[in-house]
Amino acid sequence: MSEPQELKNAGLKATLPRLKVLSLFESSEQRHLSAEDVYRMLLTSGEDIGLATVYRVLTQFEQAGLLVRHHFESDKAVFELNHGTHHDHIVCLQCGRVEEFYDEEIEARQKKAATERGFSIHDHSLHIYADCTKQPCPYKD
């Protein structure tokens, strides 16, 4: 699906800043981006889009369901494209790198734990905070 059509389907006009931000998320190798990351990447590529506009677009995309916001190891929010599939995250406490994973056994155990306690899960998130076991951490700056 084309980017303008994705925006239209989400109820948003296809403005240049929105198209640039959406394109950046779709083409970036890094899946979890902060507003500052997006702003820096846009500047590097020669785009003249202000940080306030980036924040506004990210919030609009989150409200429209195009992006998902996470707060991992800090108060800094990061965003990722909403592909409509569930996954969990492991966050390196040394460098902040995030790896995604899906484990059927973990999902089944969470559902069982909720059911046994009289709950029905609507949504959940699992963030594991860990230290990279590779010394030195290959992703640390």
Side-chain angles (χ1 to χ4, degrees):
M1 184 179 301
S2 71
E3 292 160 359
Q5 189 60 45
E6 287 176 88
L7 292 175
K8 186 176 177 184
N9 291 348
L12 298 170
K13 290 172 99 175
T15 65
L16 185 62
R18 289 177 182 155
L19 289 169
K20 294 292 184 184
V21 170
L22 184 57
S23 175
L24 193 145
F25 271 94
E26 290 177 339
S27 64
S28 175
E29 289 183 22
Q30 196 178 345
R31 288 188 38 88
H32 303 89
L33 300 170
S34 69
E36 293 79 12
D37 294 332
V38 171
Y39 176 66
R40 217 173 306 114
M41 293 167 94
L42 289 169
L43 280 180
T44 301
S45 67
E47 300 299 332
D48 186 25
I49 298 172
L51 185 57
T53 300
V54 170
Y55 276 107
R56 189 169 46 256
V57 168
L58 294 175
T59 301
Q60 291 167 343
F61 283 5
E62 178 190 16
Q63 291 170 344
L66 294 172
L67 295 179
V68 177
R69 178 190 305 246
H70 298 286
H71 294 276
F72 292 130
E73 81 283 359
S74 68
D75 291 334
K76 182 175 80 170
V78 293
F79 298 83
E80 71 175 307
L81 282 175
N82 183 359
H83 291 293
T85 57
H86 174 75
H87 59 267
D88 296 308
H89 300 91
I90 299 177
V91 181
C92 178
L93 293 171
Q94 295 178 52
C95 69
R97 184 172 56 94
V98 178
E99 287 204 16
E100 299 173 351
F101 72 97
Y102 177 83
D103 185 299
E104 286 185 31
E105 189 174 329
I106 290 174
E107 298 303 317
R109 290 182 58 102
Q110 289 176 121
K111 185 175 181 180
K112 182 178 184 247
T115 301
E116 287 174 349
R117 290 162 178 80
F119 292 92
S120 173
I121 297 175
H122 291 275
D123 192 18
H124 77 278
S125 62
L126 173 64
H127 302 146
I128 298 173
Y129 298 96
D131 289 318
C132 179
T133 57
K134 298 178 185 118
Q135 295 301 326
C137 177
Y139 297 95
K140 194 170 186 174
D141 293 332

